Each structure stands twice: as structure tokens, then as C-alpha cells.
Amino acid sequence: MKFPAGLPIGEAWIETPATAPVIFPYDGSTVADAPVGDVELARTALDNALSVRETVGRLPSYLRRKVLQSVHSAVLAARNEFVDLLVLETGKPLVDCRVEIDRTLLTLETSAEEVARLHGETVPLDLLPSGEGLQGFWVRKPIGVVVGITGFNYPLLLAAHKIAPAFAAGCPIIVKPAPQTPLATLWLVHHMRSALADAGAPESAVQLVTGGADVGATLTTDGRIGAVSFTGSAAVGHRIARDAAPTKVLLELGSNSALVVAEDADLDAAVDAIVRGGYYASGQACISVQRVIAVESVRQALLEKLGARLPTVVVGDPRDPDTRVSALINPASTDRVREWVGDAVHAGGSIAYDAPGDVLGPIVLTDVPDGLPAWDEEIFGPVIAVRSVPDIDSALRAVNETRYGLHASVFTSSLDTAFAAIDRLEVGGVVINDVPGFRSDVMPYGGVKDSGTGREGPRFAIEELTTTRMAIIRPRP
């Protein structure tokens, strides 16, 4: 990991007034001291982004594609180093960090390809007599300066989801990573700026500012920006949307994703999905399995198979290739998860499985009542809650009985049930016979209700970060 000291602001790296340690969640050791920005640096970044807005918006397509291809090559060459850094600053298991870098590479590659597909179309204007002889078409133009704010759980991937589509669309971007995990994002931005400099483009096209809520507010409430793209909690997302209005705000928020097990489901496949989908990234993923809704006739068999499988899940040091669950991002998160589990049990729920050990391991709750965070909210830890219902119709209704709507999955052998789920579930994505956390970075990803607005994925994010411009020409006689 080699990049200049300070923060990448304007055409240089600027020294910050303070630093803060980045902590390895597994053992509490310090990974590195990271630069911490302030409101003044945020304003400087905004001024620089605005100063190059027109220049970046007019960069030719070949150059934007070339820059993104160069960054892809640089990240690929440093793949193993990026993985090791992600393990240390997030505490996520090695296997999950490898997936993160692969998805980051795909995002960079696909964004480069989408530059060639950014176009408009002609429109017939002579549908009314007054339009006879007119020529009409529309084109896409960059929305302006983008502010991208990312979460701690997938810092490199989430930054790539903001940076690559914004630059592909011709927008300068200022990215603000989570305070706990700035290092991989700093390195990615360094590669972006190096590629920009090599191409003769302004490095101010991609900047990074760290800091607290005051820095975020400074960035998101400036009326001169074109859009905010935020990934994080619903509460913070709602506040950003209110404070930033009327600026366009794209929100990728939380969820309590459901996995439905129908009476005709392959139970072994369903159990495999529950284990993979509930505990990857130690449960710190917005589309991890949290609610398992099983038809009553298969409940007991499902729980027995799940109970037999869970002892095989390795809990421990995230640097170990066999580890599947490790420490959460900080002790406060662990305490909150344990508190929610305790509240569920106190209210009448039961613990069907609780992994032993010092690190919070896989937990299975059953019959958690409505109105409790372990069922209603996003737990963001290695906890799933199982509930049974009389039939598949009741299961689909139960999926929708939440304020969230990001992803859900249904295990069934029936095409009728599969298409009923796709039609009826109030979510941004429905997955049949796989984990709800299956996310293709070339699909339109996003939620409904309190899970957010707008869509990610290079093609769709680029559309979100451009505006249509209508053109009408009356040729001179």
C-alpha cells in the first residue's frame, strides 16, 4: 500500500489537521494511522470539483474508458495486497474479501465498457401536424459534481460503485469513506488519480475527504452539487435526503432480508443458502439472510438440518482461509447484537443455536415476536431468526410486513410459486433458489420502501448520474 500522505484534494495531497488509527477488529491492533479531514478541507474539495466540472464533462469517451481500464489493471496487479488490507481494516473473513476485490474489478471493467453505451436517441416529432418537418433527439449529459458516501462493510466495492460510474458519466466525484475503513478507498483513489494524470486529465475529477458528520453535511448540503450517492443506514439516509433537497439523492440503505422455504423446497439447498447467506461477512451485509420464513410442514426438518450444519462453520481469525465468521467491526456493534438477541429471548423467542467462543459466532433465533429489532430491524451481525407460517401465501405476506424492501429469496420447486413471488414481493430483487445476497454487479441493484431509492450497477448508476437533454431543430427552408 503506497500512496502519498494526507488527503487527495484538488491537484495534490493535502496534509490533514489530525489522524486516527484504523483498528483490526479481530485483535484490536492498529493497522495504520489514517488522515482525518475537516469542514475546511471538504469545502476545498467542493471548490476544486466545481472548477473542473465542465472539463470533466467534456472528456472524450475514449479517455474516460482508458482511465477506467488503467485503474482496473492497477487494482488487478495489486489484488492480493488489496485483499490483505481489506481483511485488516474490516475484519471480514479472507474469503469475503476475495469476493469483494473480484466484484470491484468487475465494476471497474463494466463501467469502462458502459462509456461506449452512453447515448440518446432520435424521436418522431410529427405525431402532431405542428411537428411536421422538425428533427428531434435527446442526449445524456453529466449531472454535475457527485458526492459518494460509503459504508464500512465493503469499503472498496462500495467506493468503486460510486467512483467508476460517476467518472464514466463525466462527473467529478468526492468520496467520503466510513471512518473505520478509509485505507483501501484511499488506495483506489490514488490509482484513479494516477491514471487521470497519465491521461492528461485533472486529478480533481476524483477526490477523497474523511471526517465526521460535519464533513458529510458540508458535502451533501452544498446546493452546487448534482447528486449524492449514499450507502448506509436508513436513519442517516433519510436525514441526508431531507437536508440535501432538492439535490438528487440516491440511497442504498438497510434491510432485514427474508428467505422463504416452501413445502416443496430442496431443504438441503435451503439450509446451505441460509448458512452462506446469513453468515457471510459475519452477517454485516445489507442483503444477508436475517428472516427465515418456513412453511410449517418443513419447519422441524429445516431446523434439524440447520442445527447439524452450523457446527461446521469456522469462527475465528479472519486471516485464516477456513474462517467464515469473525469479529464485528467494533465492540459496540457486538454489544448491540447481543442486546437485541437478549431482548428477543426475553420477549418469548428462543435460541436454537449459539456458537461457543469469544468471537460472536452464528446464532439462530426462533419465534421472535413482531415489534423487536431482531425481527423488524437490520441486525447487521451473524444472527438469523426462523419463523413458521401455514402456507406459501402467508409466507409471501410475511416477507412484505416490514418497512424494508431490498432483496428476498424463495426456495421452491414450483414455477407458479416462483412467479408469484416475483410478482408479489415488495423488494428490489427476488432470487429463486439461491441466497437473497446474490448480487450481480451488472443488474439494477437497489430497494424500495425504507431500503432506498435509485439503482446501482454500472449501467444503471451511470443513467442515474446523467440527465436527459432534449433537442428540437426546425431546419431552415
Side-chain angles (χ1 to χ4, degrees), residues 16-63:
T16 60
T19 62
V22 175
I23 302 300
F24 180 32
Y26 179 67
D27 64 12
S29 60
T30 297
V31 179
D33 288 321
V36 178
D38 57 17
V39 167
E40 182 179 349
L41 288 175
R43 290 175 180 150
T44 301
L46 284 165
D47 290 341
N48 278 281
L50 289 159
S51 73
V52 299
R53 173 184 170 181
E54 290 188 10
T55 301
V56 175
R58 292 194 175 98
L59 290 175
S61 298
Y62 80 85
L63 188 147

Short mmCIF file of all heavy atoms in Angstrom, two decimals, residues 16-63:
data_model
loop_
_atom_site.label_atom_id
_atom_site.label_comp_id
_atom_site.label_asym_id
_atom_site.label_seq_id
_atom_site.Cartn_x
_atom_site.Cartn_y
_atom_site.Cartn_z
N THR A 16 -3.54 16.78 6.61
CA THR A 16 -4.74 16.94 7.41
C THR A 16 -4.41 17.42 8.82
O THR A 16 -3.29 17.22 9.31
CB THR A 16 -5.51 15.61 7.52
OG1 THR A 16 -4.67 14.63 8.14
CG2 THR A 16 -5.93 15.13 6.15
N PRO A 17 -5.39 18.04 9.50
CA PRO A 17 -5.13 18.54 10.85
C PRO A 17 -5.00 17.44 11.89
O PRO A 17 -4.53 17.69 13.00
CB PRO A 17 -6.34 19.42 11.14
CG PRO A 17 -7.42 18.88 10.27
CD PRO A 17 -6.73 18.41 9.02
N ALA A 18 -5.43 16.22 11.54
CA ALA A 18 -5.39 15.14 12.53
C ALA A 18 -5.30 13.80 11.82
O ALA A 18 -5.52 13.69 10.60
CB ALA A 18 -6.64 15.18 13.42
N THR A 19 -4.97 12.77 12.59
CA THR A 19 -5.01 11.39 12.11
C THR A 19 -5.75 10.56 13.16
O THR A 19 -5.93 10.98 14.30
CB THR A 19 -3.60 10.81 11.89
OG1 THR A 19 -2.90 10.80 13.14
CG2 THR A 19 -2.83 11.61 10.86
N ALA A 20 -6.15 9.37 12.74
CA ALA A 20 -6.83 8.45 13.66
C ALA A 20 -6.43 7.03 13.30
O ALA A 20 -6.25 6.70 12.12
CB ALA A 20 -8.34 8.62 13.58
N PRO A 21 -6.28 6.16 14.29
CA PRO A 21 -5.87 4.79 13.99
C PRO A 21 -7.01 3.99 13.35
O PRO A 21 -8.17 4.14 13.72
CB PRO A 21 -5.53 4.22 15.37
CG PRO A 21 -6.34 5.03 16.33
CD PRO A 21 -6.41 6.40 15.74
N VAL A 22 -6.64 3.18 12.38
CA VAL A 22 -7.56 2.19 11.82
C VAL A 22 -7.29 0.88 12.56
O VAL A 22 -6.15 0.40 12.60
CB VAL A 22 -7.34 2.00 10.31
CG1 VAL A 22 -8.21 0.87 9.76
CG2 VAL A 22 -7.64 3.31 9.57
N ILE A 23 -8.32 0.31 13.16
CA ILE A 23 -8.17 -0.81 14.08
C ILE A 23 -8.57 -2.12 13.41
O ILE A 23 -9.60 -2.21 12.73
CB ILE A 23 -9.04 -0.60 15.34
CG1 ILE A 23 -8.65 0.72 16.04
CG2 ILE A 23 -8.91 -1.77 16.29
CD1 ILE A 23 -7.21 0.78 16.49
N PHE A 24 -7.73 -3.15 13.60
CA PHE A 24 -8.06 -4.50 13.16
C PHE A 24 -9.09 -5.06 14.13
O PHE A 24 -8.78 -5.30 15.30
CB PHE A 24 -6.79 -5.35 13.16
CG PHE A 24 -6.97 -6.78 12.72
CD1 PHE A 24 -7.92 -7.15 11.78
CD2 PHE A 24 -6.16 -7.78 13.26
CE1 PHE A 24 -8.08 -8.47 11.38
CE2 PHE A 24 -6.30 -9.11 12.87
CZ PHE A 24 -7.26 -9.45 11.94
N PRO A 25 -10.33 -5.26 13.69
CA PRO A 25 -11.39 -5.64 14.63
C PRO A 25 -11.14 -6.93 15.39
O PRO A 25 -11.63 -7.09 16.52
CB PRO A 25 -12.63 -5.76 13.73
CG PRO A 25 -12.35 -4.86 12.57
CD PRO A 25 -10.89 -5.01 12.34
N TYR A 26 -10.37 -7.85 14.82
CA TYR A 26 -10.22 -9.16 15.45
C TYR A 26 -9.40 -9.10 16.73
O TYR A 26 -9.74 -9.76 17.72
CB TYR A 26 -9.58 -10.14 14.47
CG TYR A 26 -9.38 -11.51 15.05
CD1 TYR A 26 -10.46 -12.32 15.38
CD2 TYR A 26 -8.09 -12.01 15.29
CE1 TYR A 26 -10.28 -13.58 15.93
CE2 TYR A 26 -7.90 -13.26 15.83
CZ TYR A 26 -8.99 -14.05 16.15
OH TYR A 26 -8.81 -15.29 16.70
N ASP A 27 -8.33 -8.30 16.74
CA ASP A 27 -7.49 -8.28 17.94
C ASP A 27 -7.25 -6.88 18.50
O ASP A 27 -6.54 -6.72 19.50
CB ASP A 27 -6.16 -8.98 17.69
CG ASP A 27 -5.28 -8.30 16.65
OD1 ASP A 27 -5.60 -7.15 16.27
OD2 ASP A 27 -4.28 -8.89 16.22
N GLY A 28 -7.83 -5.86 17.87
CA GLY A 28 -7.69 -4.50 18.39
C GLY A 28 -6.37 -3.82 18.07
O GLY A 28 -6.13 -2.70 18.55
N SER A 29 -5.53 -4.44 17.27
CA SER A 29 -4.25 -3.82 16.93
C SER A 29 -4.46 -2.72 15.89
O SER A 29 -5.48 -2.67 15.19
CB SER A 29 -3.28 -4.87 16.39
OG SER A 29 -3.80 -5.49 15.21
N THR A 30 -3.49 -1.83 15.78
CA THR A 30 -3.58 -0.71 14.83
C THR A 30 -3.02 -1.13 13.48
O THR A 30 -1.89 -1.62 13.38
CB THR A 30 -2.80 0.51 15.36
OG1 THR A 30 -3.41 0.95 16.59
CG2 THR A 30 -2.82 1.64 14.35
N VAL A 31 -3.81 -0.93 12.45
CA VAL A 31 -3.39 -1.25 11.08
C VAL A 31 -2.53 -0.11 10.54
O VAL A 31 -1.46 -0.33 9.96
CB VAL A 31 -4.62 -1.46 10.18
CG1 VAL A 31 -4.18 -1.77 8.74
CG2 VAL A 31 -5.52 -2.56 10.72
N ALA A 32 -3.00 1.11 10.70
CA ALA A 32 -2.28 2.30 10.23
C ALA A 32 -2.99 3.52 10.81
O ALA A 32 -4.13 3.44 11.26
CB ALA A 32 -2.26 2.37 8.70
N ASP A 33 -2.30 4.65 10.77
CA ASP A 33 -2.93 5.91 11.12
C ASP A 33 -3.45 6.56 9.84
O ASP A 33 -2.68 6.77 8.89
CB ASP A 33 -1.94 6.84 11.82
CG ASP A 33 -1.63 6.37 13.24
OD1 ASP A 33 -2.57 5.91 13.91
OD2 ASP A 33 -0.46 6.46 13.65
N ALA A 34 -4.73 6.88 9.82
CA ALA A 34 -5.36 7.43 8.63
C ALA A 34 -5.59 8.93 8.77
O ALA A 34 -5.84 9.42 9.88
CB ALA A 34 -6.69 6.73 8.37
N PRO A 35 -5.51 9.67 7.68
CA PRO A 35 -5.75 11.12 7.74
C PRO A 35 -7.22 11.42 8.02
O PRO A 35 -8.12 10.75 7.50
CB PRO A 35 -5.35 11.60 6.34
CG PRO A 35 -5.55 10.40 5.46
CD PRO A 35 -5.20 9.21 6.31
N VAL A 36 -7.47 12.41 8.85
CA VAL A 36 -8.84 12.82 9.19
C VAL A 36 -9.03 14.26 8.72
O VAL A 36 -8.34 15.18 9.15
CB VAL A 36 -9.10 12.71 10.71
CG1 VAL A 36 -10.51 13.18 11.03
CG2 VAL A 36 -8.89 11.29 11.18
N GLY A 37 -10.00 14.44 7.84
CA GLY A 37 -10.27 15.76 7.30
C GLY A 37 -11.20 16.57 8.17
O GLY A 37 -11.62 16.15 9.24
N ASP A 38 -11.53 17.77 7.68
CA ASP A 38 -12.42 18.66 8.41
C ASP A 38 -13.28 19.42 7.41
O ASP A 38 -13.19 19.23 6.18
CB ASP A 38 -11.65 19.60 9.32
CG ASP A 38 -10.62 20.45 8.58
OD1 ASP A 38 -10.70 20.55 7.33
OD2 ASP A 38 -9.72 21.01 9.24
N VAL A 39 -14.11 20.30 7.92
CA VAL A 39 -15.05 21.05 7.09
C VAL A 39 -14.30 21.92 6.07
O VAL A 39 -14.72 22.03 4.90
CB VAL A 39 -15.98 21.90 7.97
CG1 VAL A 39 -16.74 22.92 7.14
CG2 VAL A 39 -16.95 21.00 8.74
N GLU A 40 -13.19 22.52 6.49
CA GLU A 40 -12.44 23.38 5.56
C GLU A 40 -11.93 22.58 4.37
O GLU A 40 -12.00 23.04 3.22
CB GLU A 40 -11.26 24.02 6.30
CG GLU A 40 -10.46 24.97 5.43
CD GLU A 40 -9.32 25.63 6.17
OE1 GLU A 40 -9.27 25.51 7.42
OE2 GLU A 40 -8.47 26.25 5.51
N LEU A 41 -11.43 21.38 4.61
CA LEU A 41 -10.96 20.54 3.51
C LEU A 41 -12.12 20.09 2.63
O LEU A 41 -11.97 19.97 1.41
CB LEU A 41 -10.20 19.34 4.06
CG LEU A 41 -8.82 19.65 4.66
CD1 LEU A 41 -8.21 18.40 5.28
CD2 LEU A 41 -7.88 20.22 3.59
N ALA A 42 -13.28 19.84 3.24
CA ALA A 42 -14.45 19.46 2.45
C ALA A 42 -14.84 20.59 1.49
O ALA A 42 -15.15 20.36 0.31
CB ALA A 42 -15.61 19.11 3.37
N ARG A 43 -14.80 21.82 1.99
CA ARG A 43 -15.13 22.96 1.14
C ARG A 43 -14.10 23.14 0.03
O ARG A 43 -14.44 23.48 -1.11
CB ARG A 43 -15.22 24.23 1.99
CG ARG A 43 -16.43 24.24 2.92
CD ARG A 43 -16.41 25.45 3.84
NE ARG A 43 -17.56 25.47 4.72
CZ ARG A 43 -17.58 26.00 5.93
NH1 ARG A 43 -16.46 26.56 6.42
NH2 ARG A 43 -18.68 25.99 6.66
N THR A 44 -12.84 22.89 0.35
CA THR A 44 -11.79 22.97 -0.67
C THR A 44 -12.03 21.94 -1.76
O THR A 44 -11.88 22.23 -2.96
CB THR A 44 -10.41 22.77 -0.03
OG1 THR A 44 -10.19 23.76 0.96
CG2 THR A 44 -9.31 22.83 -1.08
N ALA A 45 -12.39 20.73 -1.36
CA ALA A 45 -12.68 19.68 -2.34
C ALA A 45 -13.86 20.07 -3.22
O ALA A 45 -13.84 19.86 -4.45
CB ALA A 45 -12.95 18.36 -1.62
N LEU A 46 -14.91 20.63 -2.62
CA LEU A 46 -16.07 21.07 -3.41
C LEU A 46 -15.67 22.13 -4.42
O LEU A 46 -16.06 22.06 -5.60
CB LEU A 46 -17.15 21.60 -2.47
CG LEU A 46 -17.95 20.57 -1.70
CD1 LEU A 46 -18.73 21.22 -0.56
CD2 LEU A 46 -18.92 19.82 -2.63
N ASP A 47 -14.91 23.11 -4.00
CA ASP A 47 -14.49 24.17 -4.91
C ASP A 47 -13.68 23.60 -6.07
O ASP A 47 -13.86 24.01 -7.24
CB ASP A 47 -13.68 25.22 -4.17
CG ASP A 47 -14.52 26.05 -3.21
OD1 ASP A 47 -15.76 26.06 -3.36
OD2 ASP A 47 -13.94 26.67 -2.29
N ASN A 48 -12.79 22.66 -5.77
CA ASN A 48 -11.98 22.07 -6.83
C ASN A 48 -12.82 21.22 -7.78
O ASN A 48 -12.61 21.26 -9.00
CB ASN A 48 -10.86 21.22 -6.22
CG ASN A 48 -9.67 22.05 -5.79
OD1 ASN A 48 -8.84 22.44 -6.61
ND2 ASN A 48 -9.58 22.34 -4.51
N ALA A 49 -13.76 20.45 -7.24
CA ALA A 49 -14.62 19.64 -8.10
C ALA A 49 -15.45 20.52 -9.03
O ALA A 49 -15.60 20.23 -10.22
CB ALA A 49 -15.53 18.76 -7.24
N LEU A 50 -15.98 21.61 -8.48
CA LEU A 50 -16.78 22.51 -9.30
C LEU A 50 -15.94 23.21 -10.37
O LEU A 50 -16.41 23.47 -11.48
CB LEU A 50 -17.46 23.54 -8.40
CG LEU A 50 -18.59 22.97 -7.54
CD1 LEU A 50 -18.85 23.89 -6.35
CD2 LEU A 50 -19.86 22.78 -8.36
N SER A 51 -14.67 23.47 -10.05
CA SER A 51 -13.81 24.15 -11.02
C SER A 51 -13.49 23.30 -12.23
O SER A 51 -13.15 23.84 -13.29
CB SER A 51 -12.52 24.61 -10.33
OG SER A 51 -11.66 23.49 -10.06
N VAL A 52 -13.57 21.97 -12.09
CA VAL A 52 -13.26 21.09 -13.22
C VAL A 52 -14.52 20.42 -13.78
O VAL A 52 -14.42 19.55 -14.64
CB VAL A 52 -12.23 20.00 -12.83
CG1 VAL A 52 -10.93 20.64 -12.39
CG2 VAL A 52 -12.78 19.07 -11.76
N ARG A 53 -15.68 20.83 -13.31
CA ARG A 53 -16.91 20.17 -13.76
C ARG A 53 -17.05 20.18 -15.28
O ARG A 53 -17.33 19.14 -15.89
CB ARG A 53 -18.12 20.86 -13.11
CG ARG A 53 -19.44 20.35 -13.64
CD ARG A 53 -20.63 21.11 -13.07
NE ARG A 53 -21.84 20.75 -13.77
CZ ARG A 53 -23.03 21.27 -13.52
NH1 ARG A 53 -23.16 22.19 -12.57
NH2 ARG A 53 -24.10 20.90 -14.20
N GLU A 54 -16.89 21.33 -15.88
CA GLU A 54 -17.06 21.40 -17.34
C GLU A 54 -15.97 20.61 -18.05
O GLU A 54 -16.24 19.93 -19.04
CB GLU A 54 -17.06 22.85 -17.79
CG GLU A 54 -18.31 23.62 -17.37
CD GLU A 54 -18.37 25.00 -18.00
OE1 GLU A 54 -17.55 25.29 -18.90
OE2 GLU A 54 -19.24 25.79 -17.59
N THR A 55 -14.75 20.70 -17.57
CA THR A 55 -13.64 19.97 -18.20
C THR A 55 -13.89 18.47 -18.16
O THR A 55 -13.74 17.76 -19.17
CB THR A 55 -12.32 20.29 -17.49
OG1 THR A 55 -12.08 21.69 -17.56
CG2 THR A 55 -11.16 19.54 -18.13
N VAL A 56 -14.27 17.95 -16.99
CA VAL A 56 -14.53 16.51 -16.86
C VAL A 56 -15.73 16.10 -17.71
O VAL A 56 -15.72 15.04 -18.35
CB VAL A 56 -14.75 16.15 -15.38
CG1 VAL A 56 -15.14 14.67 -15.23
CG2 VAL A 56 -13.49 16.45 -14.57
N GLY A 57 -16.74 16.94 -17.75
CA GLY A 57 -17.92 16.62 -18.54
C GLY A 57 -17.65 16.55 -20.03
O GLY A 57 -18.41 15.92 -20.77
N ARG A 58 -16.57 17.21 -20.47
CA ARG A 58 -16.24 17.20 -21.90
C ARG A 58 -15.10 16.23 -22.24
O ARG A 58 -14.66 16.19 -23.39
CB ARG A 58 -15.84 18.61 -22.34
CG ARG A 58 -17.01 19.59 -22.32
CD ARG A 58 -16.65 20.86 -23.08
NE ARG A 58 -17.80 21.74 -23.16
CZ ARG A 58 -18.03 22.78 -22.36
NH1 ARG A 58 -17.16 23.05 -21.39
NH2 ARG A 58 -19.09 23.55 -22.51
N LEU A 59 -14.61 15.48 -21.26
CA LEU A 59 -13.56 14.50 -21.58
C LEU A 59 -14.11 13.50 -22.60
O LEU A 59 -15.21 12.98 -22.44
CB LEU A 59 -13.12 13.76 -20.32
CG LEU A 59 -12.34 14.57 -19.29
CD1 LEU A 59 -12.08 13.73 -18.04
CD2 LEU A 59 -11.03 15.09 -19.87
N PRO A 60 -13.36 13.21 -23.64
CA PRO A 60 -13.87 12.29 -24.67
C PRO A 60 -14.07 10.88 -24.13
O PRO A 60 -13.43 10.46 -23.16
CB PRO A 60 -12.78 12.33 -25.74
CG PRO A 60 -11.56 12.81 -25.05
CD PRO A 60 -12.02 13.72 -23.95
N SER A 61 -14.94 10.15 -24.78
CA SER A 61 -15.29 8.81 -24.32
C SER A 61 -14.08 7.90 -24.25
O SER A 61 -13.93 7.12 -23.30
CB SER A 61 -16.35 8.20 -25.24
OG SER A 61 -17.53 8.97 -25.23
N TYR A 62 -13.21 7.99 -25.26
CA TYR A 62 -12.06 7.08 -25.27
C TYR A 62 -11.18 7.31 -24.05
O TYR A 62 -10.60 6.37 -23.49
CB TYR A 62 -11.25 7.25 -26.57
CG TYR A 62 -10.31 8.42 -26.59
CD1 TYR A 62 -9.03 8.34 -26.04
CD2 TYR A 62 -10.70 9.64 -27.14
CE1 TYR A 62 -8.17 9.42 -26.05
CE2 TYR A 62 -9.86 10.72 -27.15
CZ TYR A 62 -8.59 10.62 -26.60
OH TYR A 62 -7.74 11.70 -26.61
N LEU A 63 -11.06 8.58 -23.61
CA LEU A 63 -10.19 8.87 -22.47
C LEU A 63 -10.82 8.36 -21.18
O LEU A 63 -10.14 7.78 -20.33
CB LEU A 63 -9.93 10.37 -22.40
CG LEU A 63 -8.88 10.83 -21.38
CD1 LEU A 63 -8.13 12.05 -21.89
CD2 LEU A 63 -9.52 11.14 -20.03
#
